[in-house]
Amino acid sequence: MMTRFDFLQAFVRVAETGSFSEAARRLGLSKSMVSRQVSALEAELGVRLLHRTTRSLSPTEAGRAYLERCQRILADLDEANLLVSRLQAVPRGRLRVSAPLSFGIGHLSAALPGFLERYPEIELEMNMTDRHVDLVEEGWDLAVRIGRLADSSLIVRRLAPIRGVAVAAPAYLERRGTPLVPPDLERHDCLIHSARTSEWRFVSPEGLASQVAVHGRFLADNGDVLRVMALAGLGIVQLPSFFVGDDIRAGRLVPVLEGFIPQEASLNAVYPHGRHLSPKVRAFVDYLAEKFGPEPYWDRDIAMAANG
């Protein structure tokens, strides 16, 4: 027997997705059933909620107003259900996480044993890749991502700052000299990340933003490869500090343009939209924030090296 709750849920999913077929897929129902539920709701209310054409589907003016209230009602119901379930909730079950390859291997993996020890009822599945996975379509609970993230349907929680640093091997600087201001980079061999812009951005000690077009004979789409080439003395590279903290502390790489700050990004946890996190996802996100932020250990290593 169909209830008013079924009608509201069907209408909200259709309005949000713009598709009876997609709404039916998400609800686990047939397309015809979802269509009947929305039509029954319109008949009950005595108003048309959706504009239907052969090519598009969109809420009417009344539908938009009704949608906002329905979303609030469904979210409040989800919240009430979750509050009850959390009274006895313990983080448990399989947690599927995607993370960037280099950061995942170099830093995230070292934090995972402590997480599994703290939460013995969680089974963790990691996907280490630089591919931008679709969390919803591919069934991942959350992803760890680096950079300035575009607006999307995902919730973003900032875990830690990701600071860039321009570095080179001592041998390279002895051979080619040390750049003192960003425009000096135009006369140097630079090692360039091929998936990003070849313009490096800096903020001066006075707070002024600038950018310089860099050039070089080597490009790669992986920071670890660029780091290796920098260690070999082939040029100057700008990388997130987590790549090169150990090298700076050991003297294998030397920071240049230290008064000029590369554009900062952030380490983020992203997960599908919703007002609440499941206990296992919340536990993992909180654990990463505890481990990495707000002052990551790799930046502390760099500060120690700078202070001798």
Side-chain angles (χ1 to χ4, degrees):
M1 178 179 178
M2 292 187 295
T3 66
R4 180 172 294 182
F5 174 78
D6 295 323
F7 297 166
L8 295 183
Q9 194 172 45
F11 165 65
V12 168
R13 295 295 173 261
V14 171
E16 288 178 340
T17 61
S19 165
F20 280 104
S21 297
E22 178 61 20
R25 188 186 70 81
R26 296 190 183 189
L27 292 170
L29 300 172
S30 67
K31 179 180 176 182
S32 59
M33 174 63 75
V34 172
S35 180
R36 285 200 301 271
Q37 289 176 343
V38 174
S39 296
L41 179 61
E42 290 178 319
E44 181 180 320
L45 295 173
V47 64
R48 181 169 292 279
L49 298 173
L50 297 170
H51 290 299
R52 301 168 174 84
T53 71
T54 56
R55 294 186 177 182
S56 65
L57 184 68
S58 62
T60 63
E61 182 179 355
R64 287 193 296 272
Y66 195 62
L67 173 63
E68 183 178 342
R69 298 300 294 270
C70 289
Q71 287 172 322
R72 210 175 303 158
I73 291 168
L74 294 178
D76 286 341
L77 181 59
D78 287 342
E79 180 177 7
N81 292 338
L82 195 57
L83 285 173
V84 172
S85 66
R86 278 181 175 170
L87 292 176
Q88 300 296 327
V90 174
R92 60 165 57 92
R94 172 168 289 201
L95 179 64
R96 306 185 74 229
V97 180
S98 179
L101 182 62
S102 295
F103 182 82
I105 294 173
H107 297 278
L108 181 58
S109 59
L112 299 181
F115 174 76
L116 291 172
E117 183 177 358
R118 183 180 297 184
Y119 299 102
E121 295 188 51
I122 287 181
E123 177 185 344
L124 183 60
E125 178 183 351
M126 292 298 307
N127 168 242
M128 303 288 193
T129 178
D130 289 331
R131 182 176 65 86
H132 198 80
V133 302
D134 186 316
L135 298 183
V136 176
E137 289 296 323
E138 299 180 41
W140 295 96
D141 293 299
L142 76 150
V144 176
R145 290 179 180 164
I146 294 171
R148 296 175 177 270
L149 303 181
D151 292 338
S152 72
S153 59
L154 301 177
I155 298 296
V156 179
R157 177 172 170 187
R158 189 175 191 266
L159 301 174
I162 295 294
R163 300 181 176 95
V165 58
V167 295
Y172 174 85
L173 297 177
E174 289 174 9
R175 187 171 71 251
R176 298 290 302 274
T178 300
L180 301 179
V181 293
D184 290 347
L185 292 172
E186 295 176 357
R187 299 189 296 273
H188 281 268
D189 291 326
C190 293
L191 306 168
I192 301 170
H193 198 295
S194 57
R196 301 173 191 157
T197 176
S198 58
E199 290 185 338
W200 292 358
R201 294 173 172 81
F202 297 89
V203 177
S204 73
E206 296 77 28
L208 300 176
S210 64
Q211 61 187 37
V212 57
V214 296
H215 307 277
R217 295 188 301 124
F218 185 80
L219 296 86
D221 64 353
N222 180 271
D224 285 313
V225 175
L226 294 170
R227 168 184 166 270
V228 169
M229 302 303 281
L231 288 169
L234 295 182
I236 298 173
V237 67
Q238 186 185 97
L239 287 171
S241 56
F242 66 77
F243 276 105
V244 295
D246 288 344
D247 297 316
I248 292 174
R249 191 170 183 181
R252 294 186 293 266
L253 292 173
V254 178
V256 299
L257 303 172
E258 291 188 84
F260 296 85
I261 304 170
Q263 188 175 38
E264 184 176 300
S266 57
L267 179 70
N268 307 288
V270 300
Y271 43 90
H273 193 278
R275 292 182 65 179
H276 297 282
L277 294 175
S278 67
K280 63 184 179 180
V281 173
R282 181 178 296 278
F284 191 75
V285 172
D286 288 345
Y287 180 80
L288 294 189
E290 171 191 324
K291 279 290 182 182
F292 297 132
E295 183 69 16
Y297 63 84
W298 53 81
D299 283 339
R300 293 196 296 270
D301 288 345
I302 292 175
M304 290 174 62
N307 295 329

